[in-house]
Amino acid sequence: MARTTAVHAADVVVVGAGPAGSSAAWHLAGAGLDVALLEKAEFPREKVCGDGLTPRGVKALHDMGVDTAGAGWVRRRGLRVHGGGRIAEVDWPRLASWPDHGLVRTRRELDALLAGHARSAGAHLVTGTTVTEPLLDEGGQVVGVRGEVGDREPVTWRAPLVVSAEGLSGRLAKGLGLLRRTDRPLGVALRGYVRSRRSDDDYLDIAFDLTADGPSRETMPGYGWIFGMGDGTANVGYGLLDTRRGTGADRRSVLRRWLDLFPAEEGLGEEDAVGPLRGAGLPMALSRGPAYTRGLLLAGDAAGTVNPCNGEGISAALESGRMAAETAVAALRQPAGAAREAVLQRYPDRLRAELGRHHRLGLGFLALLARPAVVRLAMARGLRRPAITDAALRVMGNLSDGRDGDVVDRALAVLLRLTPAT
């Protein structure tokens, strides 16, 4: 006997309750729209990530009214950078536009918190729903999604607009023929947790020296990290930022050999592991687009918003979720047809305007990072000069006061203005 399809409706359907989707849902609900936030898993759930938030990510949380001063949030004052045989502790820049600290929190906790935050704003959070394809009208316009719940029971959600925050898989985008651009970098991150005395360290360790001899061809362009989680454990990992340039070296071996360089008492060995190593892809440089087509907006990893300079994706996910929501709100104020479509068509340009120039700089950074000798020389000289390391941190983290800032910020503003967007 054929199964009956349950049919629901909303003003906007958001698919994926990671940072991008929950951000979009929170902003949509705050604007008074009826929004359904669909998530295939049940919370809490695992997500491969370094678990670190830069000041840009912290600001995005604050803009959403998330209280980061309570239990579970751990502040970090900056980075401890290992490179060129040197180690330098670099505080996050002191800027008017951004917080002066980063945060760490497991994605298991963060994603559940953000989904709950969206629900508290009025979003209808629906977990255990696997979205399988876009729902199209006779003209090929997206008018909702089809999916499955429970024991593969069919379900349909109808909405004038859909936001895909599905991550790298991008099933809805693929259903419309939007494939990831292979000429843009795709990174890969491998991470695990260890019991480590570095758990309460004020600085997040970032290492470009991943062998005893420094950067190597098989480890670049990439870096290793040790992020103390404040609970007796540390998140340790290795990110290859551009798989097109990699040598195909076994990433687990790269990570293990690097961690073995540290003394045993640091608690970074295999015997200190808490759970298995897990990996995930990092889609960068707005690698799937257009970010809007036929009633579907892409946000976060679905659009490829990961920062090529450092592989960080949470801040851009939160920001792109907000931009998608603001676009949807403005569009739905217009009558269906040409006026609404004109608003929606501006969304990809907005993403490029706010993220694309910095991503273009990131592509150049990756090209340099692929040259171990260049990295070794730049680190050996640059880490001796605090002004250079501060400027580099601003560039990598996309942190600047713009033309209202100091000479570094003004120079960066000019550089970005002259840089074509991706």
Side-chain angles (χ1 to χ4, degrees), residues 193-369:
Y193 295 97
V194 294
R195 297 183 184 91
S196 174
R197 73 178 190 179
R198 287 176 177 259
S199 181
D200 296 314
D201 200 324
D202 277 343
Y203 290 90
L204 305 175
D205 283 273
I206 296 289
F208 297 95
D209 287 350
L210 297 177
T211 74
D213 298 320
S216 69
R217 185 171 177 270
E218 70 171 1
T219 64
M220 305 305 285
Y223 65 88
W225 69 79
I226 305 168
F227 294 173
M229 301 304 296
D231 61 356
T233 69
N235 180 316
V236 297
Y238 164 63
L240 180 65
L241 296 179
D242 191 349
T243 54
R244 301 171 306 165
R245 302 175 188 273
T247 62
D250 180 71
R251 293 164 196 125
R252 292 173 181 264
S253 296
V254 170
L255 176 60
R256 185 71 268 147
R257 289 198 298 268
W258 170 56
L259 292 176
D260 284 344
L261 298 176
F262 292 86
E265 58 267 24
E266 294 283 352
L268 302 173
E270 286 188 90
E271 66 278 9
D272 302 300
V274 181
L277 291 173
R278 300 182 187 275
L282 305 173
M284 302 176 180
L286 303 180
S287 54
R288 181 181 280 125
Y292 168 75
T293 186
R294 295 159 52 190
L296 180 70
L297 300 100
L298 310 183
D301 285 6
T305 60
V306 173
N307 182 350
C309 285
N310 57 14
E312 191 270 330
I314 297 176
S315 60
L318 294 167
E319 292 174 3
S320 62
R322 169 183 54 79
M323 286 185 270
E326 290 171 350
T327 300
V329 170
L332 291 175
R333 288 175 180 154
Q334 302 295 325
R340 180 178 296 179
E341 191 68 15
V343 174
L344 293 164
Q345 290 288 349
R346 291 196 288 268
Y347 174 62
D349 291 336
R350 184 177 180 188
L351 270 185
R352 284 194 295 270
E354 298 205 21
L355 300 176
R357 287 180 171 82
H358 184 260
H359 284 193
R360 180 69 70 181
L361 289 180
L363 298 182
F365 176 74
L366 286 181
L368 293 176
L369 202 59

Side-chain angles (χ1 to χ4, degrees), residues 7-351:
V7 180
H8 308 279
D11 294 329
V12 183
V13 168
V14 179
V15 182
S22 291
S23 171
W26 184 85
H27 285 93
L28 288 163
L33 294 181
D34 179 15
V35 54
L37 177 59
L38 310 184
E39 166 62 37
K40 65 182 178 182
E42 300 289 346
F43 289 109
R45 51 111 167 95
E46 284 290 316
K47 200 72 173 180
V48 175
C49 185
D51 298 331
L53 289 99
T54 66
R56 194 174 183 99
V58 177
K59 183 179 186 302
L61 292 177
H62 292 172
D63 290 345
M64 290 174 60
V66 176
D67 180 9
T68 63
W73 297 100
V74 181
R75 286 194 176 205
R76 294 294 179 247
R77 63 183 294 177
L79 303 180
R80 182 182 296 109
V81 184
H82 306 238
R86 300 186 63 83
I87 300 174
E89 293 180 347
V90 189
D91 287 355
W92 290 112
R94 269 48 177 177
L95 302 170
S97 305
W98 308 97
D100 63 357
H101 62 278
L103 295 169
V104 291
R105 189 156 193 173
T106 67
R107 286 289 299 276
R108 180 179 175 86
E109 294 179 351
L110 176 66
D111 287 13
L113 182 149
L114 291 176
H117 191 62
R119 181 171 53 193
S120 69
H124 183 35
L125 175 63
V126 185
T127 58
T129 299
T130 300
V131 171
T132 56
E133 61 182 350
L135 178 67
L136 306 178
D137 66 11
E138 293 181 355
Q141 190 78 2
V142 176
V143 291
V145 298
R146 292 191 177 96
E148 297 174 342
V149 298
D151 187 23
R152 303 190 67 179
E153 295 288 337
V155 63
T156 293
W157 280 89
R158 292 184 172 273
L161 293 175
V162 174
V163 176
S164 168
E166 303 164 274
L168 177 60
S169 64
R171 183 175 290 182
L172 293 175
K174 290 177 182 177
L176 298 184
L178 303 181
L179 303 179
R180 188 186 67 82
R181 290 181 54 169
T182 57
D183 63 334
R184 300 285 170 85
L186 175 67
V188 177
L190 182 71
R191 74 98 173 99
Y193 295 97
V194 294
R195 297 183 184 91
S196 174
R197 73 178 190 179
R198 287 176 177 259
S199 181
D200 296 314
D201 200 324
D202 277 343
Y203 290 90
L204 305 175
D205 283 273
I206 296 289
F208 297 95
D209 287 350
L210 297 177
T211 74
D213 298 320
S216 69
R217 185 171 177 270
E218 70 171 1
T219 64
M220 305 305 285
Y223 65 88
W225 69 79
I226 305 168
F227 294 173
M229 301 304 296
D231 61 356
T233 69
N235 180 316
V236 297
Y238 164 63
L240 180 65
L241 296 179
D242 191 349
T243 54
R244 301 171 306 165
R245 302 175 188 273
T247 62
D250 180 71
R251 293 164 196 125
R252 292 173 181 264
S253 296
V254 170
L255 176 60
R256 185 71 268 147
R257 289 198 298 268
W258 170 56
L259 292 176
D260 284 344
L261 298 176
F262 292 86
E265 58 267 24
E266 294 283 352
L268 302 173
E270 286 188 90
E271 66 278 9
D272 302 300
V274 181
L277 291 173
R278 300 182 187 275
L282 305 173
M284 302 176 180
L286 303 180
S287 54
R288 181 181 280 125
Y292 168 75
T293 186
R294 295 159 52 190
L296 180 70
L297 300 100
L298 310 183
D301 285 6
T305 60
V306 173
N307 182 350
C309 285
N310 57 14
E312 191 270 330
I314 297 176
S315 60
L318 294 167
E319 292 174 3
S320 62
R322 169 183 54 79
M323 286 185 270
E326 290 171 350
T327 300
V329 170
L332 291 175
R333 288 175 180 154
Q334 302 295 325
R340 180 178 296 179
E341 191 68 15
V343 174
L344 293 164
Q345 290 288 349
R346 291 196 288 268
Y347 174 62
D349 291 336
R350 184 177 180 188
L351 270 185

